[in-house]
Amino acid sequence: MLIIKYKSFVKILKKVSVFLFIAGMLLSFGYEAVYSQITREIRGNMLLRGSTSPKWYSGTSLFSDPDFIREAEQNTKRLYPELHKDMEVFRKSAGVQQTFSIGDSTRFYAFNLPERTFYTVSAQLRRRGANVNVWVEKKEIENQHITETVVRDIINMLEESTPASRDSTKGIIELENTYFGDFPDKDGDGRLDILILDIQDGWTGSGAYMAGYFSRIDQILSSEYSNKRDMLYIDSYPAIYGISGSRNLRFASETVSHELQHLIHYNYDQDEENWINEGLSVYAQYLCGFGVQNVSDYLADTNRDLTDIVANLDGVINDEVVKDYHKVGLFTYYLWEQYGDGYISNLIHSTRKGVEGINDALRGVNAGRDRSEEHTSELQSHSFISYAVFCLKKKNKKDNSKAL
C-alpha cells in the first residue's frame, strides 16, 4: 500500500485543474486574451515551471520489452540477412580497439522504429572528455547539423557545469553519479559513450519525436545487435538542429540527463517497471537544471492509469506518450519533494518492482507507515481528480476500480 503525504499537492493540482477548465471554456467562446493570461499564471506555478518545449519522448521503454526486441531481431534477419555478418567482418577487420582517438571512425548498431529493424551507422569520435566519448553520425557532420561547437558545449554540460541544477559546479554525469549511483561500465573502460545521430523514428515535421534512448541490448554481450558499450543515443534532428535551421542544445542535454538515469537504473535493477523508470528519468531532468516540464496537456486529460505508458503498448509515436511522461514525472517529483534525495536513491537501488519498490524505498526513509487508512480515505474522497496521479490501482484483483 502506498503511503504518502499529499494534501498540499492535492490543493495545488485542484487549483490548476480549475484554471485549465476555465481557460478551456473561455477559449471556446473566443476570449483568447483572457486564456493567454490564465495560462501565463498557470506556468508560474511550480508544477508548470520550465519551457514549453517541442514534444519529445524517450525510446528506452521499448527496449525493455522482450517481445519488441525479439520482433526487431526477426525483422532484421528477414529484411537484412547480411547485416550482422557484414558487421562482424567489419569488427574483425578493425581489430579489438578499446581506446579511440579523436577523428577515429567506427560503426554502431542503431534502431529504425517504423521498420522495427536494426541498421548500422558510421560515426566519428569528435570529442573525448574525462568520462565520456561523443560520437557523431558522419551524415550529420557532412550536412552540418552537428558542428564542433555543438559537441564542445555538450561535453561542457556533461562534465563541467549545469547552470540551473542542484549544484552548478557539477556536470550531468557527476550529478547523477552523486544522487543516483554509477552506470554499469559493461565494457570496462569507465567511460560513457554518446552517439548523436538522426534517430529513425518516423518523425515527419510535427508531433512527438524520439529524442533519445538507452538500449539494454548494448549491455548484453551475447546479443547479435549489441554495441557492447555503456551507450546512449541522442537525436540530432530535430532535437539539436531544428526545422527552423537553428541549433538548440537544451533538448539534447535534457535528453542525456533523462537517458543517463535509465542506464544507471539498469545497473541496480534490470527489470524495473517502465512507469517507475520513466518517472525517475523525468525527475533527473529537474535535478540537472532543466525544470519541471509544462504539463498542461496532461492536466487537461488526467483520467489515465498511472502504471501505463502508451509507448510500451504498441511502439506507436503520438502525443499520448508525452502526457504519460508528465503523469509519472509529476508523481516522482512529488515523492521527492516529500521524502528527499534518500528516497530517490532508495527507489533506484531497490530490486523490488513497481508499487513494491515504492514501498520499499519509503520504508528506507521511515515514511509515515501509520497513515494508510487516512491516505486511502482521503484519496477516494477526491474522485474528481485523476486516479492516475493520486492512487495506484490494485493489480491482479477482480475489482480494478479500487486504489491501493
Short mmCIF file of all heavy atoms in Angstrom, two decimals, residues 220-246:
data_model
loop_
_atom_site.label_atom_id
_atom_site.label_comp_id
_atom_site.label_asym_id
_atom_site.label_seq_id
_atom_site.Cartn_x
_atom_site.Cartn_y
_atom_site.Cartn_z
N ILE A 220 24.12 -6.54 -23.25
CA ILE A 220 24.09 -7.99 -23.40
C ILE A 220 25.15 -8.38 -24.43
O ILE A 220 24.96 -8.25 -25.64
CB ILE A 220 22.70 -8.47 -23.85
CG1 ILE A 220 21.64 -8.00 -22.85
CG2 ILE A 220 22.67 -9.99 -23.99
CD1 ILE A 220 20.21 -8.25 -23.29
N LEU A 221 26.28 -8.84 -23.95
CA LEU A 221 27.42 -9.09 -24.83
C LEU A 221 27.15 -10.20 -25.84
O LEU A 221 27.77 -10.24 -26.91
CB LEU A 221 28.65 -9.44 -23.99
CG LEU A 221 29.08 -8.38 -22.97
CD1 LEU A 221 30.37 -8.80 -22.28
CD2 LEU A 221 29.26 -7.01 -23.63
N SER A 222 26.22 -11.09 -25.54
CA SER A 222 25.93 -12.21 -26.43
C SER A 222 24.93 -11.85 -27.54
O SER A 222 24.74 -12.63 -28.47
CB SER A 222 25.39 -13.40 -25.63
OG SER A 222 24.19 -13.03 -24.96
N SER A 223 24.32 -10.67 -27.44
CA SER A 223 23.32 -10.28 -28.43
C SER A 223 23.97 -9.96 -29.76
O SER A 223 25.01 -9.29 -29.82
CB SER A 223 22.53 -9.06 -27.95
OG SER A 223 21.68 -8.57 -28.97
N GLU A 224 23.37 -10.41 -30.85
CA GLU A 224 23.92 -10.16 -32.18
C GLU A 224 23.98 -8.67 -32.50
O GLU A 224 24.87 -8.22 -33.23
CB GLU A 224 23.06 -10.86 -33.24
CG GLU A 224 23.19 -12.37 -33.25
CD GLU A 224 22.40 -13.00 -34.36
OE1 GLU A 224 21.54 -12.30 -34.95
OE2 GLU A 224 22.62 -14.18 -34.65
N TYR A 225 23.04 -7.90 -31.97
CA TYR A 225 22.94 -6.49 -32.35
C TYR A 225 23.37 -5.56 -31.21
O TYR A 225 22.91 -4.43 -31.11
CB TYR A 225 21.51 -6.18 -32.80
CG TYR A 225 21.09 -7.06 -33.95
CD1 TYR A 225 20.20 -8.12 -33.75
CD2 TYR A 225 21.61 -6.89 -35.23
CE1 TYR A 225 19.83 -8.96 -34.79
CE2 TYR A 225 21.25 -7.72 -36.28
CZ TYR A 225 20.36 -8.75 -36.05
OH TYR A 225 20.01 -9.57 -37.09
N SER A 226 24.26 -6.06 -30.37
CA SER A 226 24.77 -5.27 -29.24
C SER A 226 26.00 -4.48 -29.65
O SER A 226 26.89 -4.99 -30.35
CB SER A 226 25.13 -6.20 -28.08
OG SER A 226 25.77 -5.48 -27.04
N ASN A 227 26.08 -3.24 -29.18
CA ASN A 227 27.30 -2.43 -29.37
C ASN A 227 28.31 -2.67 -28.24
O ASN A 227 29.42 -2.13 -28.28
CB ASN A 227 26.95 -0.95 -29.46
CG ASN A 227 26.29 -0.61 -30.78
OD1 ASN A 227 26.77 -0.98 -31.84
ND2 ASN A 227 25.16 0.10 -30.72
N LYS A 228 27.88 -3.43 -27.22
CA LYS A 228 28.77 -3.86 -26.15
C LYS A 228 29.45 -2.68 -25.46
O LYS A 228 30.64 -2.71 -25.16
CB LYS A 228 29.81 -4.85 -26.68
CG LYS A 228 29.20 -6.11 -27.31
CD LYS A 228 30.25 -7.02 -27.92
CE LYS A 228 29.66 -8.32 -28.43
NZ LYS A 228 28.63 -8.14 -29.47
N ARG A 229 28.66 -1.66 -25.17
CA ARG A 229 29.17 -0.44 -24.54
C ARG A 229 28.12 0.12 -23.58
O ARG A 229 26.94 -0.21 -23.67
CB ARG A 229 29.47 0.64 -25.58
CG ARG A 229 30.54 0.30 -26.59
CD ARG A 229 30.52 1.31 -27.73
NE ARG A 229 31.51 0.98 -28.77
CZ ARG A 229 32.72 1.49 -28.83
NH1 ARG A 229 33.11 2.37 -27.92
NH2 ARG A 229 33.55 1.15 -29.80
N ASP A 230 28.58 1.03 -22.72
CA ASP A 230 27.66 1.83 -21.89
C ASP A 230 27.29 3.04 -22.73
O ASP A 230 27.97 4.06 -22.73
CB ASP A 230 28.35 2.24 -20.60
CG ASP A 230 28.81 1.04 -19.80
OD1 ASP A 230 27.97 0.38 -19.19
OD2 ASP A 230 30.04 0.74 -19.82
N MET A 231 26.17 2.94 -23.44
CA MET A 231 25.91 3.82 -24.57
C MET A 231 24.53 4.48 -24.48
O MET A 231 23.55 3.85 -24.08
CB MET A 231 26.02 3.02 -25.87
CG MET A 231 26.09 3.84 -27.12
SD MET A 231 26.74 2.80 -28.46
CE MET A 231 26.88 4.02 -29.75
N LEU A 232 24.47 5.75 -24.88
CA LEU A 232 23.22 6.49 -25.02
C LEU A 232 23.13 7.02 -26.45
O LEU A 232 24.14 7.40 -27.05
CB LEU A 232 23.15 7.66 -24.03
CG LEU A 232 23.34 7.34 -22.55
CD1 LEU A 232 23.25 8.61 -21.74
CD2 LEU A 232 22.29 6.33 -22.07
N TYR A 233 21.92 7.08 -26.97
CA TYR A 233 21.66 7.57 -28.32
C TYR A 233 20.88 8.88 -28.21
O TYR A 233 19.81 8.91 -27.58
CB TYR A 233 20.85 6.55 -29.11
CG TYR A 233 21.50 5.19 -29.20
CD1 TYR A 233 21.47 4.30 -28.11
CD2 TYR A 233 22.14 4.77 -30.36
CE1 TYR A 233 22.06 3.05 -28.17
CE2 TYR A 233 22.73 3.51 -30.44
CZ TYR A 233 22.68 2.66 -29.34
OH TYR A 233 23.27 1.42 -29.41
N ILE A 234 21.37 9.94 -28.84
CA ILE A 234 20.75 11.26 -28.76
C ILE A 234 20.43 11.75 -30.16
O ILE A 234 21.28 11.72 -31.06
CB ILE A 234 21.67 12.27 -28.04
CG1 ILE A 234 22.08 11.74 -26.66
CG2 ILE A 234 20.98 13.63 -27.93
CD1 ILE A 234 20.92 11.47 -25.72
N ASP A 235 19.21 12.22 -30.36
CA ASP A 235 18.76 12.65 -31.67
C ASP A 235 19.41 13.97 -32.09
O ASP A 235 19.57 14.89 -31.28
CB ASP A 235 17.24 12.81 -31.66
CG ASP A 235 16.69 13.13 -33.04
OD1 ASP A 235 16.95 12.33 -33.96
OD2 ASP A 235 16.00 14.15 -33.19
N SER A 236 19.76 14.06 -33.37
CA SER A 236 20.34 15.29 -33.91
C SER A 236 19.30 16.16 -34.60
O SER A 236 19.40 17.39 -34.58
CB SER A 236 21.45 14.93 -34.92
OG SER A 236 20.95 14.09 -35.94
N TYR A 237 18.29 15.50 -35.20
CA TYR A 237 17.26 16.24 -35.94
C TYR A 237 15.89 15.65 -35.66
O TYR A 237 15.67 14.47 -35.92
CB TYR A 237 17.55 16.18 -37.45
CG TYR A 237 16.52 16.87 -38.31
CD1 TYR A 237 16.50 18.27 -38.40
CD2 TYR A 237 15.58 16.14 -39.01
CE1 TYR A 237 15.55 18.91 -39.17
CE2 TYR A 237 14.62 16.77 -39.79
CZ TYR A 237 14.62 18.16 -39.86
OH TYR A 237 13.67 18.80 -40.62
N PRO A 238 15.01 16.42 -35.02
CA PRO A 238 15.06 17.86 -34.76
C PRO A 238 15.51 18.26 -33.36
O PRO A 238 15.35 19.41 -32.97
CB PRO A 238 13.60 18.26 -34.95
CG PRO A 238 12.85 17.08 -34.37
CD PRO A 238 13.66 15.87 -34.75
N ALA A 239 16.05 17.31 -32.56
CA ALA A 239 16.37 17.63 -31.16
C ALA A 239 17.42 18.73 -31.05
O ALA A 239 17.34 19.59 -30.17
CB ALA A 239 16.82 16.39 -30.43
N ILE A 240 18.44 18.70 -31.91
CA ILE A 240 19.50 19.71 -31.87
C ILE A 240 19.35 20.68 -33.03
O ILE A 240 19.26 21.90 -32.82
CB ILE A 240 20.89 19.03 -31.90
CG1 ILE A 240 21.09 18.17 -30.65
CG2 ILE A 240 21.99 20.11 -31.99
CD1 ILE A 240 22.39 17.39 -30.63
N TYR A 241 19.33 20.16 -34.23
CA TYR A 241 19.14 21.02 -35.40
C TYR A 241 17.66 21.02 -35.73
O TYR A 241 17.12 20.04 -36.24
CB TYR A 241 19.96 20.49 -36.58
CG TYR A 241 19.97 21.40 -37.78
CD1 TYR A 241 20.87 22.46 -37.87
CD2 TYR A 241 19.07 21.22 -38.83
CE1 TYR A 241 20.88 23.31 -38.98
CE2 TYR A 241 19.07 22.05 -39.93
CZ TYR A 241 19.97 23.09 -40.00
OH TYR A 241 19.97 23.92 -41.09
N GLY A 242 16.99 22.13 -35.42
CA GLY A 242 15.55 22.19 -35.57
C GLY A 242 15.09 22.46 -36.99
O GLY A 242 15.88 22.77 -37.88
N ILE A 243 13.78 22.37 -37.20
CA ILE A 243 13.22 22.56 -38.54
C ILE A 243 13.39 24.00 -39.02
O ILE A 243 13.30 24.27 -40.21
CB ILE A 243 11.74 22.15 -38.58
CG1 ILE A 243 10.93 22.93 -37.54
CG2 ILE A 243 11.60 20.66 -38.37
CD1 ILE A 243 9.45 22.62 -37.60
N SER A 244 13.64 24.92 -38.08
CA SER A 244 13.85 26.32 -38.46
C SER A 244 15.27 26.58 -38.95
O SER A 244 15.58 27.67 -39.44
CB SER A 244 13.55 27.24 -37.28
OG SER A 244 14.49 27.03 -36.23
N GLY A 245 16.14 25.59 -38.79
CA GLY A 245 17.53 25.75 -39.19
C GLY A 245 18.45 26.25 -38.10
O GLY A 245 19.64 26.44 -38.31
N SER A 246 17.90 26.44 -36.89
CA SER A 246 18.71 26.86 -35.75
C SER A 246 19.05 25.66 -34.88
O SER A 246 18.41 24.61 -34.97
CB SER A 246 17.95 27.90 -34.92
OG SER A 246 16.74 27.34 -34.42
#
